[in-house]
Amino acid sequence: MAVLIASALRKELSGEPLFDGVSFKVERRDRLALAGPNGAGKTTLLRALIGETELAGGELAWEKGARVALHDQRPPRLAGFTLREYALSGASDLVEAERELRLLEEAMAGGDHAPETLRRYGEAQARLEHAGGYGWRDHATAVLRGLGFVDPDLDRGLETFSGGELTRASLARALSGGPDLLLLDEPTNHLDMESIEWLEQELATIDAAVILVAHDRWFLESVGTAVLELEGGRSTYFPGKWHVWRQEKAARLAMQAKFAERQAEDIARLERFVARFRYGTKSRQAQAKLKQIARIEKERVEAPRAGRRTLGFEFLKPPRSGRMVVEAQGFDLAAGSKPLLEDAELVLERGEHVALIGPNGSGKSTLLEALIGGRLGRIGHGVEIAYFSQHEVELDERGSVLECTMGATGLQRAQAQTLLGRFLFSGWDEHDKPVVALSGGERRRLALALVVASGANFLVLDEPTNHLDLESREALEAALEAFPGTLLLVSHDRAVLDAVAERIVAVEDGRLRSYDGGWADYARIRADETAPPPAPPKERKEKPNRRQPQARPRPSELETVEASIQARELELAELERELADDWGNAERLAAHTAAREELQRLLERWEQLFEAAQA
C-alpha cells in the first residue's frame, strides 16, 4: 500500500516554474533519495509535501490517516520548551489520543457503555497502537540518546543549546512521533560518526516511508532504495541504489551525447549535399534530402548540457618541508575546565594524509587550533600551514570579496578574479560583495579559495565539505587525494575520509589512537573489536571407548550462527579492502550491502540465542 502517490506536481516562483510534472510513489520501507543541483527545488518539494508551501498544480494521494513529519535545517522556535517537551511535541496527536483514552476509560468505569463511546475508544486506541502503543514516549527518549544527547539534557530549555544541537533536536522530534512518511533534509548535518551510524540503523528498521535530501554519499548508499532526480524543472525516477543510479545516469548521458553527435553529423552531411546539388541535375535528390533533414530535426535529441559548475580545486605545488611536520607527545588538552585529552600523542610526517575523527565535543577543533597556534607540540622545519576553520574565523571581513582575496593571497586583481571565478564568484556584483554579507555556503567557498591559493605544504582542514554539493565534494576529494603535501583533515564525510586518508586518528576515551588505512579499514578493525565474544568452551569429556563408536553431536543453532557470523565478517572485510581501492565497483558495492545486511541479521539472531541460553 502506497503511503503517498504524487502526480504531475508543479511549483512556481514569481510566476516561473521551479519544477513541473514531478511524479513518484513511496510505499512503506521505501527510502527515496532526492538528487539534483542546489536550487532545483528539493527542499521546496519536501515543504510542499507537508503543506508548508502551496503547489501550483498536480495531485497528492495519501494513505488514509497518514502522518507526516519533516526535519530540515531551520532551528526550533518553541520558546519555553525543554528538550524532552520539544521532542514529544512532534506527536501532539498521540498526546491527544492518550488524553481521550483516559477520559473514555473514566466514562466507561462510570457505566457509559454506549456504542458511540466504545467506537471512539476503539478509534483512539487504534491511533495509538499504529504509532507503537504507549511505548512511544520511551522511544522518543531513546532517539534523543541515539542522536548524542544525555539524560541531564532532557529537561534543559531549548535556549541553552547551540545551533547544531537544536538541529539534532529537530531530527529527534521528526523521528519520535512514529510518522508514516518521514521527510529529511540534510539529516546528517551536525551529527558525529556514531550518531550517523545510529541514524542509518534507525532508518533501516522504522515502519515508514522516507524521502531524504543529503550530500553524504556513504549515507545515501547505505539508506537509499530509489532516487528521484530534479533537474531543469523535470524529474527522473530510478528504482535502485544510489551508486547504480549514478552509473546508469552516466551511461545514459554518454549514449545521449553520442546519439546527438551522430544526428548532427548526418544533418551536416545532408546539408552539404543539398548545397551542392539543389539547383543542378540532382535537384530531386536534394529535395528528398531536405525532407530527410526535416525528419531528423523533428526527432532530434539534444546533447546533454555541460556539466554543472563545480569548484575548481587545483592546489599549487607546495615547497618541501622537513621530514617531521608535527610532533606532539604526552600532552593534555582541555576546553576551559573540561578535560578533552590526556597523555595524548600526535606525530605527522611529510606527505602524510591523516584524518582526525571523534564524537562531537571530543576536542577535534580545539586540537587543530592548538596545533596551528603553536600552543601544542612542535611544528617542523619549513612547514607552511593553511588552516580552513569550521567557522571561517580566518576571513578578513573589513572589505569586499575581491579585496579579501587579494589581501590574503597577494594575487593581482586579474589573478584574484580568475580564482574567484573558479569558486563560483562570477561578475562584479559578487566580487564587490562585502564579506560580512556572505551566506554560510559563500563564506566556505571563499575560505576554500584562499586555501587553494596559499601554496602551503601543510593543510589543516576542519569540515571542508559542509555546505558543498555532491559534485563539489567529489572535486575536493580528488584534489585532496592528489595533494603532494601533508594533510590533517576533520570531516564527517566518510566517502572523503575513505578516499583521502592514509591513516585515521580517533579520539577514544580521552586518548588518540591511530589506525592505518581509510574509513573502510577503520570500520573493519572496529567491527572486529566489537564482534560478539565466542561461546565459552565446552567442558572436556572423557574419550569414548574405541570399541563403541560415538555419533558426533550436531552443532547447536548458536554454534551454527557463530560460524556464519565469522564467515560473513571475513567476507565483509575482504569486500571493504577491495572497495577501498575502487569505490565505483557496482558489483562489489552490491555484495558489500548484502553481506552487511546478512551480518546484521545474524548478529540479531545470535543475541536472541545467547540470551535464551543464559536464561
Side-chain angles (χ1 to χ4, degrees):
M1 176 66 181
V3 176
L4 169 64
I5 300 176
S7 304
L9 303 184
R10 177 183 174 89
K11 175 64 181 176
E12 296 179 353
L13 293 179
S14 302
E16 294 296 324
L18 176 63
F19 53 74
D20 193 11
V22 174
S23 301
F24 59 91
K25 178 178 71 171
V26 283
E27 299 183 354
R28 291 187 183 277
R29 316 295 297 181
D30 283 351
R31 308 293 185 254
L32 179 64
L34 296 185
N38 292 339
K42 301 187 293 295
T43 295
T44 301
L45 176 59
L46 294 184
R47 293 178 180 172
L49 295 181
I50 203 169
E52 290 189 0
T53 184
E54 291 185 3
L55 291 165
E59 182 180 356
L60 298 173
W62 295 93
E63 178 185 34
K64 184 178 179 181
R67 304 170 66 250
V68 189
L70 168 68
H71 161 71
D72 60 14
Q73 297 304 300
R74 295 171 296 182
R77 295 183 179 179
L78 296 177
F81 274 64
T82 66
L83 176 61
R84 189 198 308 270
E85 290 169 340
Y86 174 68
L88 296 179
S89 71
S92 57
D93 57 329
L94 301 184
V95 175
E96 175 59 27
E98 288 180 337
R99 188 190 69 83
E100 186 176 4
L101 284 172
R102 285 195 301 271
L103 293 175
L104 291 170
E105 286 168 356
E106 292 173 1
M108 290 187 293
D112 183 358
H113 300 293
E116 176 66 14
T117 301
L118 297 177
R119 182 188 64 79
R120 288 175 56 201
Y121 185 84
E123 289 177 351
Q125 193 170 44
R127 289 201 306 272
L128 196 60
E129 290 176 353
H130 178 67
Y134 286 96
W136 71 273
R137 293 174 183 269
D138 294 334
H139 174 67
T141 303
V143 167
L144 287 166
R145 294 191 184 108
L147 293 175
F149 293 104
V150 294
D151 288 349
D153 294 331
L154 302 183
D155 295 314
R156 285 171 50 195
L158 288 183
E159 66 278 2
T160 66
F161 292 98
S162 68
E165 289 171 329
L166 290 176
T167 301
R168 286 191 281 132
S170 169
L171 178 57
R173 181 178 185 268
L175 288 165
S176 296
D180 301 292
L181 175 61
L182 181 62
L183 308 175
L184 301 176
D185 192 1
E186 295 294 351
T188 61
N189 280 4
H190 304 290
L191 297 186
D192 57 25
M193 297 295 189
E194 185 177 354
S195 296
I196 291 174
E197 291 179 337
W198 176 89
L199 179 60
E200 289 174 347
Q201 295 172 0
E202 179 75 2
L203 294 180
T205 59
I206 61 173
D207 184 28
V210 178
I211 302 178
L212 61 99
V213 176
H215 286 154
D216 185 326
R217 289 162 289 164
W218 203 289
F219 178 79
L220 289 167
E221 180 62 32
S222 175
V223 173
T225 62
V227 179
L228 181 71
E229 182 183 20
L230 300 179
E231 188 167 19
R234 297 294 177 178
S235 67
T236 304
Y237 179 83
F238 179 82
K241 299 293 284 184
W242 178 263
H243 76 275
V244 182
W245 165 71
R246 292 289 297 272
Q247 292 172 339
E248 189 273 343
K249 180 184 178 183
R252 175 165 42 86
L253 290 177
M255 184 178 298
Q256 180 181 341
K258 187 174 182 180
F259 192 73
E261 182 181 1
R262 187 181 305 150
Q263 284 184 321
E265 291 173 352
D266 289 343
I267 290 173
R269 175 177 51 80
L270 292 170
E271 286 177 340
R272 287 196 299 270
F273 184 93
V274 171
R276 184 176 180 184
F277 298 111
R278 189 167 190 172
Y279 302 107
T281 57
K282 296 184 178 182
S283 60
R284 185 172 297 178
Q285 293 95 319
Q287 291 299 318
K289 301 298 184 185
L290 282 172
K291 292 179 180 179
Q292 190 175 349
I293 290 173
R295 285 197 301 271
I296 295 175
E297 289 284 5
K298 187 176 181 180
E299 301 172 355
R300 191 161 185 174
V301 173
E302 287 188 14
R305 296 178 180 178
R308 297 197 295 272
R309 289 200 305 163
T310 57
L311 306 192
F313 296 105
E314 185 181 341
F315 294 97
L316 302 177
K317 186 175 181 180
R320 184 180 178 86
S321 70
R323 183 181 66 83
M324 190 62 64
V325 175
V326 170
E327 186 174 20
Q329 297 180 335
F331 64 88
D332 298 339
L333 187 66
S337 60
K338 178 185 176 183
L340 298 173
L341 295 172
E342 180 181 355
D343 193 24
E345 175 180 309
L346 181 64
V347 176
L348 275 70
E349 295 188 357
R350 181 181 58 236
E352 273 200 293
H353 287 186
V354 177
L356 178 64
I357 67 172
N360 287 343
S362 62
K364 302 185 297 297
S365 296
T366 304
L367 174 58
L368 297 188
E369 290 169 1
L371 281 175
I372 65 169
R375 303 190 302 274
L376 191 65
R378 182 173 66 87
I379 302 298
H381 173 71
V383 174
E384 299 178 12
I385 302 175
Y387 175 46
F388 181 85
S389 166
Q390 187 174 167
H391 308 290
E392 297 92 31
V393 295
E394 72 277 13
L395 291 181
D396 185 348
E397 298 184 341
R398 293 173 296 180
S400 69
V401 169
L402 181 59
E403 290 168 340
C404 175
T405 304
M406 294 173 63
T409 63
L411 296 174
Q412 297 299 314
R413 176 179 292 270
Q415 295 170 312
Q417 289 171 333
T418 300
L419 174 69
L420 289 171
R422 289 169 55 205
F423 282 79
L424 313 187
F425 293 99
S426 301
W428 286 107
D429 289 345
E430 294 194 27
H431 292 178
D432 289 341
K433 191 173 184 178
V435 174
V436 293
L438 296 179
S439 67
E442 289 172 329
R443 291 179 67 88
R444 298 195 72 76
R445 282 193 275 121
L446 179 57
L448 278 171
L450 304 186
V451 169
V452 165
S454 69
N457 53 26
F458 180 30
L459 302 183
V460 181
L461 308 181
D462 194 358
E463 297 291 358
T465 61
N466 283 358
H467 304 290
L468 297 186
D469 61 20
L470 285 168
E471 288 75 14
S472 295
R473 288 185 181 211
E474 290 174 343
L476 173 62
E477 175 186 301
L480 292 180
E481 192 174 2
F483 179 62
T486 309
L487 173 66
L488 181 57
L489 167 71
V490 172
S491 177
H492 288 154
D493 190 319
R494 291 163 292 177
V496 170
L497 293 178
D498 198 56
V500 174
E502 300 162 351
R503 181 161 64 94
I504 287 181
V505 174
V507 181
E508 298 178 354
D509 300 321
R511 301 291 179 93
L512 294 180
R513 182 179 175 187
S514 181
Y515 299 83
D516 289 335
W519 175 261
D521 299 293
Y522 165 75
R524 173 181 53 78
I525 295 170
R526 190 180 57 174
D528 290 344
E529 292 178 345
T530 58
K538 305 288 184 181
E539 290 186 9
R540 196 167 185 177
K541 298 180 179 179
E542 294 183 5
K543 293 182 179 180
N545 190 322
R546 291 184 180 179
R547 295 181 182 179
Q548 299 176 352
Q550 301 290 317
R552 184 176 181 180
R554 297 181 62 183
S556 67
E557 185 180 0
L558 182 63
E559 293 170 327
T560 302
V561 171
E562 286 172 351
S564 298
I565 287 174
Q566 185 177 10
R568 290 290 80 73
E569 287 176 337
L570 291 172
E571 178 186 357
L572 202 58
E574 179 60 30
L575 287 167
E576 287 173 346
R577 278 193 291 271
E578 295 176 6
L579 283 172
D581 296 328
D582 184 10
W583 168 257
N585 190 316
E587 182 180 349
R588 286 282 159 247
L589 276 170
H592 179 270
T593 300
R596 184 175 58 188
E597 292 173 352
E598 174 66 10
L599 177 60
Q600 182 62 34
R601 187 188 66 79
L602 289 168
L603 289 172
E604 291 172 358
R605 182 58 181 158
W606 182 91
E607 290 176 356
Q608 295 170 356
L609 294 171
F610 187 76
E611 290 176 2
Q614 299 299 311

